[in-house]
């Protein structure tokens, strides 16, 4: 796992690295998130999974624990790093050399909100594009909040989150 967030001047051949951000609260990271990251790696040389800190949300897991959960999903990858920001995503993208923001979509209802965010980000910084990736079919129905609610009620979450995240949720809610 590469946690060096400094923009790299490295190139692939004679082309600059294609760096993307994948922002979210990741409270916690789910297999749907992992699916988007893995698929994004076929499009980008590097993905910075960026925990967007929202003062209006009270997360279940502290920031450092969420960052560690993400790192554990990609322990041997030099292509995935983890960062966080409480500022604008486009500003974070510029500071870290990212040209693209990845947003995952599960269903049509996600699109309206995500489209508005993409337009605002484009208005704020024209050099940063947004790419939408559909979540794999088997993950359409899951969300971090749904998983937390199920875990809190002692429901079965096996296979919906990575094993280390499932353990953390069980510890949190037992």
């Amino acid at each position: 796992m590469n946690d060096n967030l400094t923009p790299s001047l490295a190139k692939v051949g004679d082309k600059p690295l294609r760096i993307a951000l994948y922002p979210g609260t990741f409270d916690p990271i789910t297999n749907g998130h992992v699916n988007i990251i893995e698929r994004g790696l076929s499009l980008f040389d590097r993905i910075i999974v960026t925990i967007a800190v929202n003062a209006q949300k009270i997360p279940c897991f502290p920031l450092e624990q969420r960052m560690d959960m993400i790192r554990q999903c990609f322990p041997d990858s030099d292509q995935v790093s983890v960062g966080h920001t409480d500022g604008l995503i486009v500003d974070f993208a510029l500071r870290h050399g990212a040209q693209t923001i990845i947003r995952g979509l599960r269903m049509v209802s996600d699109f309206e909100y995500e489209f508005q965010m993409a337009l605002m980000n484009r208005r704020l910084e024209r050099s940063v594009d947004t790419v939408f990736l559909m979540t794999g079919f088997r993950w359409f129905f899951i969300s971090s909040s749904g998983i937390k609610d199920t875990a809190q009620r002692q429901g079965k979450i096996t296979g919906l989150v990575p094993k280390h995240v499932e353990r953390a949720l069980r510890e949190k809610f037992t």
Side-chain angles (χ1 to χ4, degrees), residues 68-130:
D68 188 53
M69 286 179 188
I70 297 166
R71 286 184 195 106
Q72 288 180 52
C73 293
F74 304 94
D76 301 319
S77 177
D78 289 337
Q79 293 178 280
V80 178
S81 58
V82 182
H84 65 89
T85 183
D86 58 1
L88 294 172
I89 293 299
V90 291
D91 290 343
F92 188 87
L94 290 175
R95 282 195 309 275
H96 298 289
Q99 307 87 3
T100 307
I101 297 169
I102 298 172
R103 297 303 296 163
L105 298 174
R106 291 171 297 175
M107 52 195 70
V108 175
S109 59
D110 290 343
F111 182 74
E112 186 174 338
Y113 171 78
E114 296 296 344
F115 185 65
Q116 288 175 358
M117 290 297 297
L119 290 174
M120 178 57 80
N121 286 333
R122 186 75 172 156
R123 172 71 172 89
L124 292 169
E125 182 51 57
R126 299 212 36 93
S127 68
V128 178
D129 284 317
T130 299

Side-chain angles (χ1 to χ4, degrees), residues 5 10 17 25 32 49 58 65 75 113 117-118 141 145 162 165 167 171:
L5 298 179
L17 285 177
T25 54
V49 182
I58 300 171
Q65 188 174 7
Y113 171 78
M117 290 297 297
F141 68 95
S145 55
V165 174
R167 281 191 300 276
E171 289 172 12

